Amino acid sequence: MPVPGEVVPPWLRARLEGLTWPRRTHRLRLRPLRTDDVDAVLAYRSLPDVVVHLSHDVLDRPAVEARVAGWVARGLPGSTAPLLGLAVEEQSSGRVVGDVMLRLEPSHSISRTPTAEWEGTIGYALHPDVHGRGFAAEAATELLALGFRELGLRRITADAYAANIASNRVLRRIGMRHEATVRAKSLGKDGTWLDDNIWALLREEWSG
């Protein structure tokens, strides 16, 4: 993450401020989360079968309110820890069926001259009643386009626990490369240690 007080470079800030919403895919609309999305987000992030492979446990209303408010704040111009938290709407119904995020941070450098490049991490969560319809892959594909084409990122990563077969399948489907498996990285909600798969894609590898 950027260190406290680190300034987002002007070129990236200009690109962030120049983004237009909503982003449309074949079946979905992606747009920044709002505080009035709390009920929709609560409907799935409060379900055990949705959060079983996520980094948080089931969320209650105050926790969802805090999460959405944090994402909204980090999406504002001038944020030193920029993150795009986006609602996923089904175009045919207008219903919010999930959320996706693109977290931004400067690329690591051990050079005497710090790099001006930035990279991103993607994540997603969808309501279980739309699982199996390809919405996660459709939304994540748009995140890659947003990161590489619109924001000029150098690298985009994602991680998924090995036990989360569906999420790993999504990341492979959208063209990301399996870079590594970190063995027994996290203690799972069932008391077992979980392997974590790291996925990545470089700007020059992205097919668009």
Side-chain angles (χ1 to χ4, degrees), residues 167-188:
S167 189
N168 282 281
R169 185 181 295 125
V170 165
L171 296 172
R172 187 180 301 278
R173 179 178 173 185
I174 67 174
M176 299 193 78
R177 172 173 34 78
H178 179 215
E179 282 199 331
T181 297
V182 183
R183 299 297 183 187
K185 179 183 180 183
S186 301
L187 183 62

Side-chain angles (χ1 to χ4, degrees), residues 12 40 43 70 83 132 165 197 206 208:
L12 179 57
L83 179 149
I165 295 172
N197 288 334
W206 180 60

Side-chain angles (χ1 to χ4, degrees), residues 37-146:
D37 292 318
V38 167
D39 285 338
V41 175
L42 180 64
Y44 53 89
R45 286 194 177 263
S46 62
L47 301 177
D49 57 337
V50 170
V51 305
V52 63
H53 295 301
L54 299 182
S55 60
H56 63 77
D57 209 336
V58 291
L59 300 181
D60 58 14
R61 173 172 290 278
V64 171
E65 289 174 345
R67 187 180 189 89
V68 171
W71 282 9
V72 170
R74 292 178 66 179
L76 295 175
S79 171
T80 58
L83 179 149
L84 296 176
L86 308 178
V88 179
E89 294 181 345
E90 186 178 20
Q91 288 197 49
S92 61
S93 66
R95 174 189 168 211
V96 173
V97 296
D99 60 72
V100 295
M101 71 95 183
L102 176 63
R103 186 178 69 241
L104 306 175
E105 57 190 3
S107 294
H108 182 64
S109 172
I110 60 172
S111 168
R112 292 184 180 138
T113 304
T115 177
E117 297 278 10
W118 276 58
E119 55 191 70
T121 300
I122 64 173
Y124 42 82
L126 276 77
H127 197 289
D129 67 8
V130 298
H131 286 179
R133 297 176 60 186
F135 282 2
E138 192 169 324
T141 296
E142 186 63 20
L143 282 184
L144 294 181
L146 181 61

